[in-house]
Amino acid sequence: MPIYDYSCKSCGHEFERLVRTGDTPACPACAATDLERLVTAPAVKSSGTHALALKAAAKRDKVRGGELARAQREYELHHND
Ligand SMILES: [Zn+2]
């Protein structure tokens, strides 16, 4: 399920919400349903896109090296099963 950022048109409150297709979220501050959906940033990644992201990160790390590359290798070691 994707997480969306919403801005309440009624009170201006901004919040994140897990939303299923067809769901109408309500503002946690004033319970209004007149919301504006902000830029979508899906937090749930498929394993496929995750693998691609790891590859891309590994490529970057070859150039940049350092702490990030070590963390990346650690991550891959622990997720090899
Ligand atoms: Zn509100």
Side-chain angles (χ1 to χ4, degrees):
M1 271 184 296
I3 296 178
Y4 294 117
D5 285 322
Y6 286 93
S7 173
C8 177
K9 286 182 185 172
S10 180
C11 73
H13 185 68
E14 291 187 6
F15 60 99
E16 287 183 342
R17 203 30 77 80
L18 266 173
V19 184
R20 270 183 294 239
T21 312
D23 268 8
T24 307
C27 172
C30 73
T33 52
D34 191 12
L35 310 171
E36 185 183 351
R37 199 164 82 185
L38 305 176
V39 180
T40 58
V44 182
K45 295 189 177 82
S46 79
S47 55
T49 57
H50 191 208
L52 281 177
L54 283 178
K55 256 187 202 170
K59 236 182 210 174
R60 275 202 311 275
D61 292 340
K62 262 182 200 162
V63 180
R64 280 163 49 194
E67 194 64 34
L68 208 61
R70 274 200 298 280
Q72 192 72 42
R73 277 195 294 275
E74 279 254 316
Y75 179 91
E76 282 168 358
L77 276 175
H78 291 303
H79 292 78
N80 227 3
D81 51 5

